[in-house]
Amino acid sequence: SVSSTDLDGKNEVKSDYLLADKNFTVLVELKRPDTALFEKDKNRSESWKLSKDLTYAVSQILAPFSQILTPDP
């Protein structure tokens, strides 16, 4: 598990799995089967709106990537 926690123990971010080899890295965020991926209505362009749960999951995945890809000073 990849995680990051503030000194006060808040804002903990954990990814469920980290998979890597010399060519790529994949962070996997598992969600329950009943987690909504899309909203019931569509956007003006008739494309599906991403649910808040899905948007939050993507944010959870991106947070550790920013730490992995940012070089230490």
Side-chain angles (χ1 to χ4, degrees):
S1 176
V2 177
S3 67
S4 173
T5 306
D6 293 345
L7 292 176
D8 60 2
K10 296 180 182 176
N11 297 320
E12 184 175 27
V13 176
K14 288 186 179 180
S15 293
D16 295 314
Y17 293 99
L18 170 67
L19 309 169
D21 75 4
K22 64 181 180 178
N23 296 317
F24 65 92
T25 301
V26 177
L27 291 171
V28 178
E29 181 65 29
L30 298 177
K31 293 297 178 196
R32 294 171 40 108
D34 59 346
T35 300
L37 300 180
F38 302 101
E39 299 291 331
K40 292 182 180 181
D41 55 335
K42 293 183 179 180
N43 291 321
R44 292 185 313 187
S45 63
E46 294 300 311
S47 62
W48 293 101
K49 289 182 184 178
L50 300 178
S51 72
K52 290 179 184 177
D53 289 331
L54 182 58
T55 304
Y56 183 68
V58 171
S59 297
Q60 283 182 298
I61 293 169
L62 292 177
F65 263 116
S66 66
Q67 294 171 5
I68 293 168
L69 299 175
T70 304
D72 290 332

Short mmCIF file of all heavy atoms in Angstrom, two decimals:
data_model
loop_
_atom_site.label_atom_id
_atom_site.label_comp_id
_atom_site.label_asym_id
_atom_site.label_seq_id
_atom_site.Cartn_x
_atom_site.Cartn_y
_atom_site.Cartn_z
N SER A 1 0.84 -1.19 0.00
CA SER A 1 0.00 0.00 0.00
C SER A 1 0.88 1.24 0.00
O SER A 1 1.87 1.32 0.70
CB SER A 1 -0.88 -0.03 1.23
OG SER A 1 -1.65 1.14 1.31
N VAL A 2 0.49 2.21 -0.80
CA VAL A 2 1.16 3.50 -0.85
C VAL A 2 0.32 4.46 -0.04
O VAL A 2 -0.89 4.52 -0.22
CB VAL A 2 1.26 4.01 -2.31
CG1 VAL A 2 1.89 5.37 -2.35
CG2 VAL A 2 2.04 3.02 -3.15
N SER A 3 0.91 5.21 0.87
CA SER A 3 0.10 6.11 1.68
C SER A 3 0.85 7.38 2.00
O SER A 3 2.07 7.45 1.90
CB SER A 3 -0.35 5.43 2.96
OG SER A 3 0.75 5.19 3.79
N SER A 4 0.09 8.37 2.41
CA SER A 4 0.64 9.64 2.83
C SER A 4 -0.25 10.18 3.93
O SER A 4 -1.46 10.25 3.77
CB SER A 4 0.68 10.62 1.66
OG SER A 4 1.06 11.89 2.11
N THR A 5 0.33 10.55 5.05
CA THR A 5 -0.44 11.07 6.17
C THR A 5 0.23 12.34 6.67
O THR A 5 1.46 12.41 6.77
CB THR A 5 -0.50 10.04 7.31
OG1 THR A 5 -0.98 8.81 6.80
CG2 THR A 5 -1.40 10.51 8.43
N ASP A 6 -0.58 13.35 6.98
CA ASP A 6 -0.04 14.57 7.59
C ASP A 6 0.53 14.23 8.96
O ASP A 6 0.22 13.20 9.54
CB ASP A 6 -1.15 15.61 7.75
CG ASP A 6 -1.66 16.13 6.42
OD1 ASP A 6 -1.00 15.91 5.40
OD2 ASP A 6 -2.73 16.77 6.42
N LEU A 7 1.34 15.14 9.50
CA LEU A 7 1.93 14.92 10.82
C LEU A 7 0.87 14.76 11.90
O LEU A 7 1.09 14.05 12.88
CB LEU A 7 2.87 16.07 11.17
CG LEU A 7 4.14 16.15 10.32
CD1 LEU A 7 4.94 17.39 10.71
CD2 LEU A 7 4.98 14.90 10.48
N ASP A 8 -0.28 15.40 11.72
CA ASP A 8 -1.33 15.28 12.72
C ASP A 8 -2.22 14.06 12.49
O ASP A 8 -3.20 13.85 13.18
CB ASP A 8 -2.18 16.55 12.78
CG ASP A 8 -2.87 16.86 11.47
OD1 ASP A 8 -2.74 16.08 10.50
OD2 ASP A 8 -3.57 17.89 11.41
N GLY A 9 -1.87 13.23 11.48
CA GLY A 9 -2.62 12.00 11.23
C GLY A 9 -3.84 12.17 10.34
O GLY A 9 -4.58 11.22 10.11
N LYS A 10 -4.05 13.36 9.82
CA LYS A 10 -5.20 13.62 8.96
C LYS A 10 -4.80 13.49 7.49
O LYS A 10 -3.63 13.39 7.15
CB LYS A 10 -5.76 15.01 9.22
CG LYS A 10 -6.31 15.19 10.62
CD LYS A 10 -6.83 16.57 10.80
CE LYS A 10 -7.32 16.77 12.23
NZ LYS A 10 -7.75 18.14 12.48
N ASN A 11 -5.80 13.53 6.62
CA ASN A 11 -5.60 13.51 5.17
C ASN A 11 -4.86 12.28 4.69
O ASN A 11 -4.04 12.34 3.78
CB ASN A 11 -4.88 14.77 4.69
CG ASN A 11 -5.69 16.01 4.96
OD1 ASN A 11 -6.90 16.01 4.78
ND2 ASN A 11 -5.04 17.07 5.40
N GLU A 12 -5.14 11.15 5.31
CA GLU A 12 -4.49 9.92 4.91
C GLU A 12 -5.01 9.48 3.54
O GLU A 12 -6.20 9.48 3.29
CB GLU A 12 -4.73 8.82 5.93
CG GLU A 12 -3.99 7.55 5.60
CD GLU A 12 -4.15 6.51 6.70
OE1 GLU A 12 -5.15 6.54 7.41
OE2 GLU A 12 -3.23 5.70 6.83
N VAL A 13 -4.09 9.13 2.65
CA VAL A 13 -4.44 8.64 1.32
C VAL A 13 -3.78 7.29 1.15
O VAL A 13 -2.58 7.15 1.32
CB VAL A 13 -3.93 9.60 0.22
CG1 VAL A 13 -4.22 9.03 -1.16
CG2 VAL A 13 -4.55 10.98 0.38
N LYS A 14 -4.58 6.27 0.85
CA LYS A 14 -4.03 4.94 0.64
C LYS A 14 -4.53 4.40 -0.69
O LYS A 14 -5.71 4.49 -1.00
CB LYS A 14 -4.46 3.97 1.74
CG LYS A 14 -3.81 4.21 3.07
CD LYS A 14 -4.20 3.13 4.04
CE LYS A 14 -3.53 3.35 5.38
NZ LYS A 14 -3.90 2.32 6.33
N SER A 15 -3.64 3.83 -1.47
CA SER A 15 -4.03 3.10 -2.66
C SER A 15 -4.08 1.64 -2.29
O SER A 15 -3.33 1.17 -1.44
CB SER A 15 -3.02 3.32 -3.78
OG SER A 15 -3.06 4.66 -4.20
N ASP A 16 -4.96 0.91 -2.95
CA ASP A 16 -5.13 -0.49 -2.60
C ASP A 16 -3.97 -1.34 -3.09
O ASP A 16 -3.56 -2.26 -2.41
CB ASP A 16 -6.46 -1.01 -3.16
CG ASP A 16 -7.63 -0.31 -2.48
OD1 ASP A 16 -7.60 -0.19 -1.25
OD2 ASP A 16 -8.55 0.12 -3.17
N TYR A 17 -3.43 -1.04 -4.27
CA TYR A 17 -2.31 -1.82 -4.81
C TYR A 17 -1.37 -0.93 -5.60
O TYR A 17 -1.78 0.02 -6.25
CB TYR A 17 -2.80 -2.92 -5.74
CG TYR A 17 -3.59 -3.98 -5.04
CD1 TYR A 17 -4.98 -3.97 -5.06
CD2 TYR A 17 -2.95 -5.00 -4.35
CE1 TYR A 17 -5.71 -4.95 -4.40
CE2 TYR A 17 -3.67 -5.97 -3.68
CZ TYR A 17 -5.06 -5.94 -3.72
OH TYR A 17 -5.76 -6.90 -3.07
N LEU A 18 -0.10 -1.25 -5.55
CA LEU A 18 0.92 -0.62 -6.37
C LEU A 18 1.57 -1.73 -7.18
O LEU A 18 2.11 -2.68 -6.61
CB LEU A 18 1.98 0.09 -5.51
CG LEU A 18 3.22 0.58 -6.24
CD1 LEU A 18 2.86 1.72 -7.20
CD2 LEU A 18 4.27 1.05 -5.24
N LEU A 19 1.47 -1.63 -8.50
CA LEU A 19 2.08 -2.60 -9.40
C LEU A 19 3.13 -1.88 -10.24
O LEU A 19 2.87 -0.78 -10.73
CB LEU A 19 1.02 -3.21 -10.33
CG LEU A 19 -0.24 -3.75 -9.66
CD1 LEU A 19 -1.30 -4.06 -10.69
CD2 LEU A 19 0.10 -4.98 -8.85
N ALA A 20 4.30 -2.47 -10.38
CA ALA A 20 5.35 -1.77 -11.12
C ALA A 20 6.33 -2.75 -11.73
O ALA A 20 6.49 -3.88 -11.25
CB ALA A 20 6.08 -0.80 -10.22
N ASP A 21 6.97 -2.30 -12.79
CA ASP A 21 8.16 -2.95 -13.31
C ASP A 21 9.05 -1.83 -13.85
O ASP A 21 8.81 -0.67 -13.56
CB ASP A 21 7.83 -4.03 -14.36
CG ASP A 21 7.41 -3.49 -15.71
OD1 ASP A 21 7.44 -2.26 -15.92
OD2 ASP A 21 7.05 -4.29 -16.57
N LYS A 22 10.06 -2.14 -14.61
CA LYS A 22 11.00 -1.10 -15.04
C LYS A 22 10.41 -0.13 -16.05
O LYS A 22 10.96 0.93 -16.27
CB LYS A 22 12.27 -1.73 -15.60
CG LYS A 22 12.06 -2.54 -16.85
CD LYS A 22 13.36 -3.15 -17.33
CE LYS A 22 13.11 -3.96 -18.59
NZ LYS A 22 14.33 -4.52 -19.11
N ASN A 23 9.25 -0.46 -16.66
CA ASN A 23 8.67 0.38 -17.68
C ASN A 23 7.43 1.17 -17.26
O ASN A 23 7.06 2.13 -17.91
CB ASN A 23 8.30 -0.46 -18.91
CG ASN A 23 9.52 -1.07 -19.56
OD1 ASN A 23 10.54 -0.41 -19.72
ND2 ASN A 23 9.43 -2.33 -19.91
N PHE A 24 6.76 0.75 -16.21
CA PHE A 24 5.52 1.44 -15.83
C PHE A 24 5.18 1.21 -14.37
O PHE A 24 5.68 0.30 -13.74
CB PHE A 24 4.35 1.00 -16.72
CG PHE A 24 3.98 -0.44 -16.55
CD1 PHE A 24 3.01 -0.83 -15.64
CD2 PHE A 24 4.58 -1.43 -17.31
CE1 PHE A 24 2.67 -2.16 -15.48
CE2 PHE A 24 4.24 -2.77 -17.17
CZ PHE A 24 3.28 -3.13 -16.24
N THR A 25 4.28 2.07 -13.88
CA THR A 25 3.75 1.94 -12.52
C THR A 25 2.25 2.10 -12.59
O THR A 25 1.74 2.97 -13.28
CB THR A 25 4.32 3.04 -11.60
OG1 THR A 25 5.74 2.91 -11.59
CG2 THR A 25 3.79 2.93 -10.20
N VAL A 26 1.53 1.26 -11.87
CA VAL A 26 0.07 1.32 -11.84
C VAL A 26 -0.39 1.34 -10.39
O VAL A 26 0.00 0.49 -9.60
CB VAL A 26 -0.56 0.09 -12.55
CG1 VAL A 26 -2.07 0.13 -12.45
CG2 VAL A 26 -0.10 0.00 -13.99
N LEU A 27 -1.20 2.33 -10.04
CA LEU A 27 -1.85 2.37 -8.74
C LEU A 27 -3.30 1.98 -8.95
O LEU A 27 -3.97 2.51 -9.83
CB LEU A 27 -1.77 3.76 -8.12
CG LEU A 27 -0.38 4.20 -7.69
CD1 LEU A 27 -0.39 5.67 -7.30
CD2 LEU A 27 0.11 3.37 -6.53
N VAL A 28 -3.80 1.05 -8.15
CA VAL A 28 -5.16 0.54 -8.30
C VAL A 28 -5.97 0.93 -7.07
O VAL A 28 -5.53 0.71 -5.95
CB VAL A 28 -5.16 -1.00 -8.45
CG1 VAL A 28 -6.57 -1.53 -8.55
CG2 VAL A 28 -4.32 -1.40 -9.66
N GLU A 29 -7.13 1.51 -7.30
CA GLU A 29 -8.05 1.88 -6.22
C GLU A 29 -9.29 1.02 -6.36
O GLU A 29 -10.02 1.12 -7.34
CB GLU A 29 -8.40 3.36 -6.34
CG GLU A 29 -9.33 3.89 -5.29
CD GLU A 29 -8.75 3.87 -3.89
OE1 GLU A 29 -7.53 3.99 -3.73
OE2 GLU A 29 -9.54 3.73 -2.95
N LEU A 30 -9.51 0.12 -5.40
CA LEU A 30 -10.67 -0.76 -5.45
C LEU A 30 -11.88 -0.06 -4.84
O LEU A 30 -11.77 0.63 -3.84
CB LEU A 30 -10.40 -2.05 -4.68
CG LEU A 30 -9.26 -2.91 -5.20
CD1 LEU A 30 -9.07 -4.11 -4.29
CD2 LEU A 30 -9.51 -3.35 -6.62
N LYS A 31 -13.02 -0.26 -5.46
CA LYS A 31 -14.28 0.29 -4.96
C LYS A 31 -15.29 -0.83 -4.84
O LYS A 31 -15.19 -1.86 -5.48
CB LYS A 31 -14.82 1.38 -5.90
CG LYS A 31 -13.96 2.62 -5.94
CD LYS A 31 -13.93 3.26 -4.58
CE LYS A 31 -13.05 4.48 -4.51
NZ LYS A 31 -12.76 4.85 -3.15
N ARG A 32 -16.30 -0.60 -4.02
CA ARG A 32 -17.36 -1.59 -3.84
C ARG A 32 -18.19 -1.70 -5.12
O ARG A 32 -18.28 -0.74 -5.88
CB ARG A 32 -18.27 -1.15 -2.69
CG ARG A 32 -17.58 -1.15 -1.34
CD ARG A 32 -18.46 -0.50 -0.28
NE ARG A 32 -19.86 -0.85 -0.43
CZ ARG A 32 -20.53 -1.67 0.38
NH1 ARG A 32 -19.91 -2.18 1.43
NH2 ARG A 32 -21.80 -1.94 0.18
N PRO A 33 -18.82 -2.84 -5.36
CA PRO A 33 -19.63 -3.01 -6.57
C PRO A 33 -20.81 -2.04 -6.66
O PRO A 33 -21.26 -1.73 -7.75
CB PRO A 33 -20.15 -4.45 -6.47
CG PRO A 33 -19.30 -5.12 -5.47
CD PRO A 33 -18.73 -4.07 -4.58
N ASP A 34 -21.27 -1.55 -5.52
CA ASP A 34 -22.41 -0.63 -5.56
C ASP A 34 -21.99 0.84 -5.65
O ASP A 34 -22.83 1.74 -5.57
CB ASP A 34 -23.31 -0.85 -4.34
CG ASP A 34 -22.58 -0.65 -3.02
OD1 ASP A 34 -21.33 -0.60 -3.01
OD2 ASP A 34 -23.27 -0.55 -1.99
N THR A 35 -20.69 1.11 -5.84
CA THR A 35 -20.23 2.49 -6.01
C THR A 35 -20.68 3.00 -7.37
O THR A 35 -20.40 2.39 -8.40
CB THR A 35 -18.69 2.57 -5.92
OG1 THR A 35 -18.28 2.10 -4.64
CG2 THR A 35 -18.20 3.99 -6.12
N ALA A 36 -21.38 4.12 -7.37
CA ALA A 36 -21.86 4.71 -8.63
C ALA A 36 -20.68 5.27 -9.42
O ALA A 36 -19.82 5.96 -8.87
CB ALA A 36 -22.86 5.81 -8.33
N LEU A 37 -20.64 4.96 -10.72
CA LEU A 37 -19.59 5.50 -11.59
C LEU A 37 -20.06 6.74 -12.34
O LEU A 37 -19.27 7.61 -12.66
CB LEU A 37 -19.14 4.43 -12.58
CG LEU A 37 -18.57 3.16 -11.96
CD1 LEU A 37 -18.16 2.19 -13.06
CD2 LEU A 37 -17.40 3.47 -11.06
N PHE A 38 -21.36 6.78 -12.62
CA PHE A 38 -21.91 7.89 -13.40
C PHE A 38 -23.15 8.44 -12.72
O PHE A 38 -23.83 7.75 -11.97
CB PHE A 38 -22.27 7.43 -14.82
CG PHE A 38 -21.11 6.86 -15.57
CD1 PHE A 38 -20.95 5.50 -15.69
CD2 PHE A 38 -20.15 7.69 -16.13
CE1 PHE A 38 -19.87 4.97 -16.38
CE2 PHE A 38 -19.07 7.17 -16.80
CZ PHE A 38 -18.92 5.81 -16.94
N GLU A 39 -23.48 9.70 -13.02
CA GLU A 39 -24.72 10.31 -12.56
C GLU A 39 -25.86 9.80 -13.43
O GLU A 39 -25.63 9.25 -14.51
CB GLU A 39 -24.62 11.83 -12.65
CG GLU A 39 -23.52 12.44 -11.80
CD GLU A 39 -23.79 12.33 -10.31
OE1 GLU A 39 -24.96 12.29 -9.90
OE2 GLU A 39 -22.81 12.26 -9.54
N LYS A 40 -27.08 10.00 -12.98
CA LYS A 40 -28.24 9.52 -13.75
C LYS A 40 -28.50 10.34 -15.00
O LYS A 40 -28.96 9.82 -16.01
CB LYS A 40 -29.48 9.51 -12.87
CG LYS A 40 -29.39 8.47 -11.78
CD LYS A 40 -30.63 8.42 -10.94
CE LYS A 40 -30.46 7.34 -9.87
NZ LYS A 40 -31.62 7.19 -9.03
N ASP A 41 -28.22 11.65 -14.94
CA ASP A 41 -28.43 12.48 -16.13
C ASP A 41 -27.12 12.68 -16.88
O ASP A 41 -26.05 12.40 -16.37
CB ASP A 41 -29.05 13.82 -15.74
CG ASP A 41 -28.25 14.57 -14.68
OD1 ASP A 41 -27.52 13.91 -13.92
OD2 ASP A 41 -28.36 15.79 -14.62
N LYS A 42 -27.23 13.15 -18.12
CA LYS A 42 -26.05 13.33 -18.97
C LYS A 42 -25.68 14.81 -19.07
O LYS A 42 -26.46 15.69 -18.72
CB LYS A 42 -26.33 12.77 -20.36
CG LYS A 42 -26.51 11.27 -20.38
CD LYS A 42 -26.71 10.78 -21.79
CE LYS A 42 -26.87 9.27 -21.83
NZ LYS A 42 -27.07 8.78 -23.20
N ASN A 43 -24.47 15.07 -19.59
CA ASN A 43 -24.03 16.44 -19.86
C ASN A 43 -24.77 16.98 -21.08
O ASN A 43 -25.48 16.25 -21.77
CB ASN A 43 -22.52 16.45 -20.15
CG ASN A 43 -21.70 16.14 -18.93
OD1 ASN A 43 -22.02 16.58 -17.84
ND2 ASN A 43 -20.65 15.37 -19.11
N ARG A 44 -24.54 18.25 -21.37
CA ARG A 44 -25.17 18.87 -22.55
C ARG A 44 -24.80 18.14 -23.83
O ARG A 44 -25.57 18.06 -24.76
CB ARG A 44 -24.77 20.33 -22.68
CG ARG A 44 -25.32 21.21 -21.60
CD ARG A 44 -25.00 22.64 -21.82
NE ARG A 44 -23.58 22.79 -22.17
CZ ARG A 44 -22.95 23.93 -22.30
NH1 ARG A 44 -23.60 25.05 -22.10
NH2 ARG A 44 -21.68 23.99 -22.60
N SER A 45 -23.60 17.60 -23.89
CA SER A 45 -23.14 16.90 -25.10
C SER A 45 -23.62 15.45 -25.14
O SER A 45 -23.17 14.67 -25.96
CB SER A 45 -21.62 16.93 -25.17
OG SER A 45 -21.07 16.25 -24.05
N GLU A 46 -24.54 15.10 -24.22
CA GLU A 46 -25.08 13.75 -24.13
C GLU A 46 -24.05 12.71 -23.68
O GLU A 46 -24.23 11.52 -23.86
CB GLU A 46 -25.74 13.31 -25.44
CG GLU A 46 -26.97 14.09 -25.81
CD GLU A 46 -28.06 13.98 -24.75
OE1 GLU A 46 -28.37 12.86 -24.31
OE2 GLU A 46 -28.61 15.03 -24.35
N SER A 47 -22.94 13.18 -23.10
CA SER A 47 -21.98 12.24 -22.51
C SER A 47 -22.35 12.06 -21.04
O SER A 47 -23.01 12.90 -20.43
CB SER A 47 -20.56 12.77 -22.65
OG SER A 47 -20.42 14.00 -21.97
N TRP A 48 -21.92 10.96 -20.47
CA TRP A 48 -22.26 10.66 -19.08
C TRP A 48 -21.46 11.53 -18.13
O TRP A 48 -20.28 11.76 -18.33
CB TRP A 48 -21.99 9.19 -18.78
CG TRP A 48 -22.89 8.28 -19.52
CD1 TRP A 48 -22.60 7.59 -20.65
CD2 TRP A 48 -24.25 7.99 -19.21
NE1 TRP A 48 -23.70 6.87 -21.07
CE2 TRP A 48 -24.74 7.09 -20.19
CE3 TRP A 48 -25.11 8.38 -18.20
CZ2 TRP A 48 -26.02 6.60 -20.18
CZ3 TRP A 48 -26.39 7.89 -18.19
CH2 TRP A 48 -26.84 7.01 -19.17
N LYS A 49 -22.10 11.99 -17.07
CA LYS A 49 -21.40 12.74 -16.02
C LYS A 49 -20.75 11.75 -15.07
O LYS A 49 -21.37 10.77 -14.66
CB LYS A 49 -22.40 13.57 -15.20
CG LYS A 49 -22.99 14.74 -15.92
CD LYS A 49 -23.91 15.49 -14.97
CE LYS A 49 -24.61 16.61 -15.66
NZ LYS A 49 -25.55 17.30 -14.75
N LEU A 50 -19.51 12.00 -14.73
CA LEU A 50 -18.84 11.16 -13.75
C LEU A 50 -19.42 11.42 -12.37
O LEU A 50 -19.70 12.57 -12.01
CB LEU A 50 -17.34 11.44 -13.74
CG LEU A 50 -16.59 11.22 -15.05
CD1 LEU A 50 -15.12 11.59 -14.87
CD2 LEU A 50 -16.74 9.81 -15.53
N SER A 51 -19.58 10.37 -11.60
CA SER A 51 -20.13 10.54 -10.25
C SER A 51 -19.08 11.16 -9.33
O SER A 51 -17.89 11.15 -9.62
CB SER A 51 -20.56 9.18 -9.68
OG SER A 51 -19.41 8.42 -9.36
N LYS A 52 -19.54 11.69 -8.22
CA LYS A 52 -18.62 12.25 -7.23
C LYS A 52 -17.71 11.15 -6.67
O LYS A 52 -16.53 11.39 -6.42
CB LYS A 52 -19.41 12.92 -6.11
CG LYS A 52 -20.10 14.19 -6.55
CD LYS A 52 -20.88 14.81 -5.42
CE LYS A 52 -21.64 16.03 -5.93
NZ LYS A 52 -22.46 16.64 -4.90
N ASP A 53 -18.25 9.94 -6.51
CA ASP A 53 -17.44 8.82 -6.01
C ASP A 53 -16.31 8.48 -6.97
O ASP A 53 -15.18 8.22 -6.55
CB ASP A 53 -18.30 7.58 -5.79
CG ASP A 53 -19.24 7.71 -4.61
OD1 ASP A 53 -18.89 8.45 -3.66
OD2 ASP A 53 -20.30 7.08 -4.62
N LEU A 54 -16.59 8.48 -8.28
CA LEU A 54 -15.56 8.18 -9.26
C LEU A 54 -14.52 9.29 -9.32
O LEU A 54 -13.31 9.03 -9.37
CB LEU A 54 -16.17 7.94 -10.64
CG LEU A 54 -15.20 7.57 -11.75
CD1 LEU A 54 -14.41 6.32 -11.41
CD2 LEU A 54 -15.94 7.40 -13.07
N THR A 55 -14.97 10.53 -9.29
CA THR A 55 -14.05 11.67 -9.30
C THR A 55 -13.14 11.62 -8.07
O THR A 55 -11.93 11.85 -8.16
CB THR A 55 -14.83 12.99 -9.34
OG1 THR A 55 -15.69 12.99 -10.48
CG2 THR A 55 -13.91 14.18 -9.41
N TYR A 56 -13.71 11.30 -6.92
CA TYR A 56 -12.91 11.18 -5.69
C TYR A 56 -11.90 10.04 -5.80
O TYR A 56 -10.76 10.17 -5.38
CB TYR A 56 -13.85 10.97 -4.51
CG TYR A 56 -13.13 10.90 -3.18
CD1 TYR A 56 -12.51 12.01 -2.64
CD2 TYR A 56 -13.08 9.71 -2.48
CE1 TYR A 56 -11.84 11.94 -1.43
CE2 TYR A 56 -12.41 9.63 -1.27
CZ TYR A 56 -11.80 10.75 -0.75
OH TYR A 56 -11.13 10.67 0.44
N ALA A 57 -12.30 8.92 -6.39
CA ALA A 57 -11.39 7.78 -6.55
C ALA A 57 -10.21 8.15 -7.44
O ALA A 57 -9.07 7.79 -7.15
CB ALA A 57 -12.14 6.59 -7.14
N VAL A 58 -10.47 8.88 -8.52
CA VAL A 58 -9.38 9.32 -9.40
C VAL A 58 -8.43 10.23 -8.63
O VAL A 58 -7.21 10.11 -8.75
CB VAL A 58 -9.93 10.01 -10.67
CG1 VAL A 58 -8.83 10.66 -11.47
CG2 VAL A 58 -10.70 9.01 -11.53
N SER A 59 -8.99 11.12 -7.83
CA SER A 59 -8.14 12.00 -7.00
C SER A 59 -7.28 11.20 -6.03
O SER A 59 -6.12 11.52 -5.81
CB SER A 59 -9.01 12.99 -6.22
OG SER A 59 -9.71 13.82 -7.10
N GLN A 60 -7.87 10.14 -5.45
CA GLN A 60 -7.12 9.29 -4.53
C GLN A 60 -5.94 8.63 -5.25
O GLN A 60 -4.88 8.45 -4.67
CB GLN A 60 -8.02 8.20 -3.96
CG GLN A 60 -8.94 8.66 -2.87
CD GLN A 60 -9.75 7.50 -2.33
OE1 GLN A 60 -10.51 6.89 -3.05
NE2 GLN A 60 -9.58 7.20 -1.06
N ILE A 61 -6.14 8.25 -6.49
CA ILE A 61 -5.09 7.60 -7.26
C ILE A 61 -4.00 8.60 -7.64
O ILE A 61 -2.81 8.29 -7.59
CB ILE A 61 -5.66 6.92 -8.52
CG1 ILE A 61 -6.56 5.75 -8.12
CG2 ILE A 61 -4.56 6.47 -9.47
CD1 ILE A 61 -7.38 5.19 -9.25
N LEU A 62 -4.39 9.81 -8.02
CA LEU A 62 -3.41 10.80 -8.49
C LEU A 62 -2.53 11.35 -7.38
O LEU A 62 -1.38 11.71 -7.62
CB LEU A 62 -4.14 11.94 -9.20
CG LEU A 62 -4.80 11.57 -10.52
CD1 LEU A 62 -5.54 12.78 -11.08
CD2 LEU A 62 -3.80 11.04 -11.52
N ALA A 63 -3.04 11.42 -6.15
CA ALA A 63 -2.26 11.99 -5.05
C ALA A 63 -0.93 11.26 -4.84
O ALA A 63 0.12 11.90 -4.79
CB ALA A 63 -3.09 12.01 -3.77
N PRO A 64 -0.90 9.93 -4.73
CA PRO A 64 0.39 9.25 -4.56
C PRO A 64 1.29 9.39 -5.79
O PRO A 64 2.51 9.44 -5.66
CB PRO A 64 0.02 7.79 -4.33
CG PRO A 64 -1.39 7.82 -3.87
CD PRO A 64 -2.01 9.01 -4.52
N PHE A 65 0.70 9.46 -6.99
CA PHE A 65 1.52 9.63 -8.20
C PHE A 65 2.31 10.93 -8.14
O PHE A 65 3.46 10.97 -8.56
CB PHE A 65 0.66 9.60 -9.46
CG PHE A 65 0.62 8.26 -10.12
CD1 PHE A 65 -0.58 7.57 -10.20
CD2 PHE A 65 1.75 7.68 -10.65
CE1 PHE A 65 -0.64 6.32 -10.80
CE2 PHE A 65 1.71 6.44 -11.25
CZ PHE A 65 0.51 5.77 -11.33
N SER A 66 1.69 12.00 -7.63
CA SER A 66 2.40 13.26 -7.55
C SER A 66 3.61 13.13 -6.61
O SER A 66 4.64 13.73 -6.85
CB SER A 66 1.48 14.39 -7.10
OG SER A 66 1.05 14.18 -5.77
N GLN A 67 3.48 12.32 -5.56
CA GLN A 67 4.60 12.12 -4.65
C GLN A 67 5.67 11.25 -5.28
O GLN A 67 6.86 11.47 -5.09
CB GLN A 67 4.10 11.46 -3.37
CG GLN A 67 3.17 12.34 -2.57
CD GLN A 67 2.53 11.61 -1.41
OE1 GLN A 67 2.85 10.46 -1.16
NE2 GLN A 67 1.65 12.28 -0.72
N ILE A 68 5.26 10.25 -6.06
CA ILE A 68 6.21 9.35 -6.71
C ILE A 68 6.99 10.08 -7.79
O ILE A 68 8.20 9.91 -7.93
CB ILE A 68 5.48 8.13 -7.32
CG1 ILE A 68 4.89 7.27 -6.21
CG2 ILE A 68 6.40 7.32 -8.22
CD1 ILE A 68 3.92 6.21 -6.71
N LEU A 69 6.31 10.94 -8.56
CA LEU A 69 6.93 11.58 -9.70
C LEU A 69 7.65 12.88 -9.37
O LEU A 69 8.38 13.41 -10.20
CB LEU A 69 5.86 11.86 -10.78
CG LEU A 69 5.16 10.62 -11.32
CD1 LEU A 69 4.06 11.01 -12.28
CD2 LEU A 69 6.16 9.69 -12.00
N THR A 70 7.48 13.39 -8.16
CA THR A 70 8.16 14.61 -7.75
C THR A 70 9.48 14.25 -7.11
O THR A 70 9.51 13.58 -6.08
CB THR A 70 7.30 15.41 -6.75
OG1 THR A 70 6.02 15.67 -7.35
CG2 THR A 70 7.97 16.72 -6.38
N PRO A 71 10.60 14.69 -7.72
CA PRO A 71 11.90 14.35 -7.14
C PRO A 71 12.13 15.05 -5.80
O PRO A 71 11.66 16.15 -5.57
CB PRO A 71 12.91 14.84 -8.19
CG PRO A 71 12.16 15.79 -9.04
CD PRO A 71 10.69 15.48 -8.92
N ASP A 72 12.83 14.37 -4.92
CA ASP A 72 13.19 14.99 -3.63
C ASP A 72 14.18 16.12 -3.88
O ASP A 72 15.04 16.01 -4.75
CB ASP A 72 13.83 13.94 -2.71
CG ASP A 72 12.81 12.92 -2.23
OD1 ASP A 72 11.62 13.26 -2.14
OD2 ASP A 72 13.21 11.78 -1.96
N PRO A 73 14.10 17.19 -3.07
CA PRO A 73 15.02 18.32 -3.26
C PRO A 73 16.45 17.97 -2.90
O PRO A 73 16.79 17.07 -2.26
CB PRO A 73 14.49 19.39 -2.31
CG PRO A 73 13.44 18.76 -1.48
CD PRO A 73 13.14 17.42 -2.04
#
